Amino acid sequence: MKKFSLILVLLFNIVAGHVWCRPETKILSDCSVPHPRLLLKGGEEKKLLDHIASSEIWQRLHHDILSECDRITTLPLLKREKVGIRLLAVSRESLRRIFFLSYAYRMTENEKYLFRAEKEMVNVARFTDWNPSHFLDVAEMTLGMSIGYDWLFDRLPEKSKKIIREAIVEKGLKPSYNSEYNWFLNVNHNWNQVCNAGMTFGALAVYEEDSDWCRNVVSRSVDALQLPMNEYEPDGAYPEGYAYWEYGTTFNVLLLDALQKVFGENSLGEAHNGFMNTAGYYENMTGIKGDSFNYADCGSEYGLTPAMFWFADKMNDPSLLWVEKNFLSDKYRENYLKNRLLPAVMIWGAKTDIHEIVPPQRLLWCGRGITPVVLMRSSWKSPDALYVGFKGGTASSNHAHMDAGSFVMEADGVRWAMDFGRQNYESLESQKLNIWVNDQQSDRWKVFRYNNFAHNTLTVDGKLHCASGYVPILGISEHESFMSAICDLSPVFKESLSSCRRGIALVDKKYVMVRDEVVALSDRSHTVRWTLLTPAEVKHIGKDEIVLEKDGKQLAVKVVSKYPVTMKTWSTRSENSYDAANPGTIRIGFESHIDAGASADFTVFLLPGGSMDCDLSKNIPLSRWEIKDIAN
């Protein structure tokens, strides 16, 4: 094997987790690769076309991209129109159009795609700026412009190249050295990944113009990237959740891939740390029907994810694409054509044989770290399988909600226990709410969707969770008759409970059991509320039970406790004008009053089919659950 270049040694060390605390990196290697050099080198088109010809699925995807490019040529050029503080929608559409059109030209050499790509790039190059005050907008615009400039370099007129090149430097790269805008260099979340990917692509695209300065841009990005890559430790769980994994991790992969292609040919090696294992997190975060466990500020988005093809190739694990295989179907055509990075699937999936994609072997995935999660299911194949996503963590992390201990649950093709996810940011920012601070007094916790009252967790005395409290996953069991996990909720109830633990089990692959054990402080009695957010209709409420119905299916919710409980429902419509309306949803559950200093336990059985039959012998204290200790 050839020796790694300096940049690849650096990248391997980052991925392997050995250089998290190191001084600023200086890249000494030079860029000797001619244009096109980003993602798909010159001369690689034929090999890619041969792969496309090998499969009807790849052929369809390829032709869908070309058809979409034909449609793009009929659309008006983009305008610099902000929504609130953001130009992001325009930047993303610009990236999508340029990437698609550049791909179409390289694959077909049809000049109509070249001419339209040139128009798109010159058009946005003439914007007054790319909105550096919200630097994600600059990053995505720069990335798209860089791909187009690099991929079409030999065919663009010199006049247009000059306009595009100057825009990449003046409106993309140079603003990143303004301290008012470049705070993304020092954060550990998706902003770092996205912004540094954009800056790296920009520097590599115009490298010949000032190689020393461009090397410094790349060095700075590689050095900064250490911060978010550390967040995947130790197992690959991504603190910001499903949608932000897709965002941050995909741009992280774009950056790594671009550097590999430019500075060396070797792979990143056999690094099985948090980052390289994170594809397992993303795949298991997808429920039975394709909906995600959308905790934190994550919406209901789902669909084809290009980065998963990169990970499957690097890990030599086709099973990582089991969910992606479904999203490749024509059923999701409208969805994947909206993906601005879709051509990357063609590149990173160039070694993928669709017929070799098999389901994962494990039914439970657990990740520790800042936002620990446990994800379990009864089957990867059955459309009626049970699925449970269960989380710990802290409300003080980026994009987090007060949802420690919360879970989602599916059975019979229905998501019975759901999460609202995010509310549109502009709808809150326009009301002068500061939702980007996570301390206890933050405006963020005034938002109904963000506080604990709207999540599938416990609330004590009608109070907010302690925002700084951290809830770890204590242990798990992968036994198929009792897949389970336990978390310690005590840190979010410091003012009312001396102890609080929650265990969730998937019993005999038939139903779900949620057991909570609490010990009240001795100062006074306390009221515990158990909440489940659901899109289902309440068909029956009894003394200790509720029956839900949706899509012709039923779920029985049965409570077992020595303490008296009062079954209740609560509306999901807030009195605050800024809160989303949340139609078609309701909160169900119960309340119970706990004496001062008393211990109490509550077990809730979630029973698909509506029957109240369950094995009460499984309802044993959490201390007797046979779990593997995994506490951080």
Side-chain angles (χ1 to χ4, degrees):
M1 178 179 289
K2 298 177 183 178
K3 291 183 66 177
F4 281 116
S5 68
L6 178 60
I7 182 62
L8 288 180
V9 172
L10 170 65
L11 285 174
F12 178 84
N13 286 337
I14 290 176
V15 173
H18 300 314
V19 292
W20 299 118
C21 297
R22 58 175 293 141
E24 183 179 355
T25 303
K26 292 297 180 184
I27 292 176
L28 303 180
S29 302
D30 205 352
C31 172
S32 59
V33 181
H35 295 284
R37 61 173 70 115
L38 297 172
L39 303 178
L40 184 69
K41 293 182 179 179
E44 293 182 341
E45 295 90 347
K46 184 180 184 305
K47 185 176 181 180
L48 183 54
L49 285 169
D50 289 343
H51 173 71
I52 291 168
S54 69
S55 163
E56 290 184 4
I57 293 176
W58 290 117
Q59 290 177 43
R60 173 174 47 77
L61 204 63
H62 172 72
H63 288 297
D64 283 346
I65 295 175
L66 299 185
S67 295
E68 179 63 9
C69 287
D70 291 336
R71 191 184 74 86
I72 289 172
T73 63
T74 69
L75 300 176
L77 293 172
L78 296 168
K79 296 181 180 180
R80 189 188 181 282
E81 296 177 337
K82 293 169 60 177
V83 177
I85 64 173
R86 297 170 179 82
L87 187 67
L88 193 53
V90 176
S91 295
R92 287 173 170 174
E93 177 60 8
S94 177
L95 167 55
R96 188 183 79 95
R97 292 184 184 188
I98 296 169
F99 201 0
F100 276 48
L101 291 163
S102 300
Y103 170 88
Y105 176 71
R106 290 189 66 179
M107 294 298 107
T108 68
E109 296 187 345
N110 188 324
E111 292 195 343
K112 69 178 179 181
Y113 302 129
L114 169 67
F115 295 153
R116 180 59 186 219
E118 178 189 356
K119 286 184 179 180
E120 294 285 350
M121 289 189 286
V122 170
N123 175 56
V124 298
R126 288 174 170 158
F127 284 4
T128 53
D129 60 44
W130 294 341
N131 198 37
S133 60
H134 190 260
F135 210 83
L136 293 178
D137 311 2
V138 176
E140 295 216 29
M141 192 75 84
T142 304
L143 191 137
M145 291 283 277
S146 300
I147 291 173
Y149 178 81
D150 175 61
W151 280 20
L152 307 177
F153 186 85
D154 291 333
R155 295 303 309 276
L156 289 170
E158 286 300 323
K159 180 180 179 181
S160 294
K161 278 201 294 189
K162 184 175 185 294
I163 292 170
I164 296 165
R165 182 172 60 247
E166 289 180 352
I168 290 173
V169 173
E170 299 296 329
K171 296 170 184 174
L173 299 177
K174 285 188 177 179
S176 75
Y177 280 89
N178 186 325
S179 60
E180 184 179 351
Y181 309 136
N182 68 5
W183 54 266
F184 62 82
L185 294 169
N186 300 310
V187 298
N188 58 5
H189 51 70
N190 69 88
W191 275 71
N192 186 315
Q193 297 166 298
V194 175
C195 294
N196 281 301
M199 296 305 97
T200 297
F201 269 66
L204 294 178
V206 302
Y207 199 87
E208 296 84 357
E209 299 308 304
D210 188 340
S211 59
D212 288 340
W213 185 66
C214 287
R215 272 201 305 273
N216 286 335
V217 173
V218 176
S219 295
R220 183 190 62 168
S221 291
V222 172
D223 189 62
L225 194 67
Q226 298 172 29
L227 291 171
M229 289 188 75
N230 196 27
E231 300 297 283
Y232 295 86
E233 298 299 327
D235 307 306
Y238 190 71
E240 298 177 278
Y242 182 87
Y244 283 96
W245 184 100
E246 193 274 339
Y247 194 29
T249 306
T250 298
F251 278 75
N252 203 133
V253 164
L254 283 166
L255 190 157
L256 295 178
D257 188 77
L259 291 177
Q260 273 188 268
K261 295 289 174 61
V262 170
F263 292 105
E265 292 293 340
N266 302 85
S267 71
L268 291 175
E270 300 297 322
H272 296 287
N273 73 312
F275 182 76
M276 293 307 291
N277 286 326
T278 193
Y281 161 83
Y282 189 73
E283 181 172 47
N284 282 270
M285 283 280 285
T286 307
I288 306 305
K289 291 172 43 180
D291 299 322
S292 68
F293 179 14
N294 59 320
Y295 66 77
D297 279 350
C298 296
S300 57
E301 302 94 339
Y302 59 87
L304 197 63
T305 302
M308 291 297 287
F309 291 82
W310 186 90
F311 280 106
D313 177 52
K314 296 301 179 187
M315 301 298 289
N316 192 26
D317 184 0
S319 74
L320 290 172
L321 299 174
W322 180 251
V323 173
E324 303 305 313
K325 181 179 180 180
N326 180 48
F327 290 138
L328 282 170
S329 71
D330 189 54
K331 173 183 176 183
Y332 294 99
R333 182 179 185 274
E334 183 178 352
N335 177 283
Y336 61 63
L337 286 178
K338 294 178 182 177
N339 191 319
R340 59 199 181 280
L341 300 174
L342 179 60
V345 173
M346 311 304 293
I347 299 168
W348 292 334
K351 298 178 184 177
T352 301
D353 184 340
I354 301 297
H355 302 293
E356 290 184 356
I357 298 175
V358 296
Q361 295 183 349
R362 297 177 66 179
L363 298 175
L364 182 147
W365 192 94
C366 177
R368 295 163 291 172
I370 294 170
T371 306
V373 295
V374 178
L375 311 159
M376 45 191 166
R377 68 190 70 216
S378 59
S379 169
W380 279 99
K381 293 183 177 181
S382 172
D384 297 323
L386 275 76
Y387 174 77
V388 175
F390 177 39
K391 73 177 295 293
T394 173
S396 63
S397 64
N398 197 49
H399 285 294
H401 293 184
M402 286 183 168
D403 60 357
S406 191
F407 65 95
V408 296
M409 179 262 183
E410 293 178 18
D412 295 333
V414 176
R415 177 155 293 190
W416 300 101
M418 62 172 283
D419 194 308
F420 281 130
R422 69 165 175 261
Q423 181 172 331
N424 177 273
Y425 299 145
E426 170 61 17
S427 71
L428 299 169
E429 292 167 341
S430 64
Q431 300 300 309
K432 309 303 180 184
L433 289 171
N434 184 358
I435 59 172
W436 302 116
V437 176
N438 293 60
D439 61 36
Q440 194 68 37
Q441 306 305 317
S442 173
D443 286 348
R444 186 172 181 82
W445 313 127
K446 298 176 182 178
V447 180
F448 179 72
R449 288 190 174 191
Y450 293 177
N451 60 47
N452 47 284
F453 309 136
H455 287 95
N456 304 325
T457 187
L458 299 176
T459 296
V460 181
D461 297 331
K463 295 181 179 180
L464 295 172
H465 282 184
C466 175
S468 62
Y470 173 78
V471 172
I473 300 292
L474 300 178
I476 60 169
S477 170
E478 294 191 63
H479 197 289
E480 292 194 10
S481 67
F482 201 78
M483 277 187 283
S484 56
I486 298 175
C487 75
D488 183 5
L489 280 163
S490 307
V492 298
F493 297 122
K494 294 177 181 179
E495 297 181 359
S496 50
L497 303 177
S498 62
S499 176
C500 180
R501 292 192 173 190
R502 164 167 281 190
I504 296 186
L506 201 163
V507 182
D508 296 326
K509 296 184 178 180
K510 294 179 179 179
Y511 57 85
V512 174
M513 185 176 78
V514 182
R515 181 178 172 90
D516 294 298
E517 297 177 355
V518 304
V519 179
L521 290 175
S522 58
D523 58 339
R524 56 189 173 84
S525 63
H526 300 275
T527 299
V528 174
R529 175 188 288 190
W530 191 101
T531 304
L532 185 145
L533 174 66
T534 183
E537 181 182 354
V538 176
K539 298 298 292 184
H540 165 76
I541 300 180
K543 179 182 178 182
D544 57 5
E545 63 193 34
I546 292 178
V547 176
L548 301 175
E549 185 172 277
K550 183 172 174 58
D551 299 337
K553 307 294 178 64
Q554 289 192 337
L555 180 81
V557 181
K558 180 180 177 63
V559 184
V560 176
S561 176
K562 294 180 180 179
Y563 259 81
V565 299
T566 302
M567 306 303 293
K568 290 190 173 185
T569 65
W570 301 271
S571 171
T572 56
R573 188 171 185 84
S574 168
E575 295 180 357
N576 300 319
S577 61
Y578 53 77
D579 278 318
N582 307 318
T585 59
I586 192 170
R587 292 174 292 165
I588 68 162
F590 62 84
E591 289 184 346
S592 184
H593 300 288
I594 311 301
D595 295 335
S599 301
D601 58 78
F602 307 93
T603 301
V604 179
F605 293 90
L606 304 176
L607 305 163
S611 170
M612 294 293 172
D613 293 335
C614 55
D615 185 355
L616 294 178
S617 68
K618 301 279 189 178
N619 184 21
I620 58 177
L622 296 178
S623 61
R624 291 172 53 196
W625 286 24
E626 297 180 2
I627 63 169
K628 174 185 176 182
D629 184 4
I630 62 160
N632 293 339

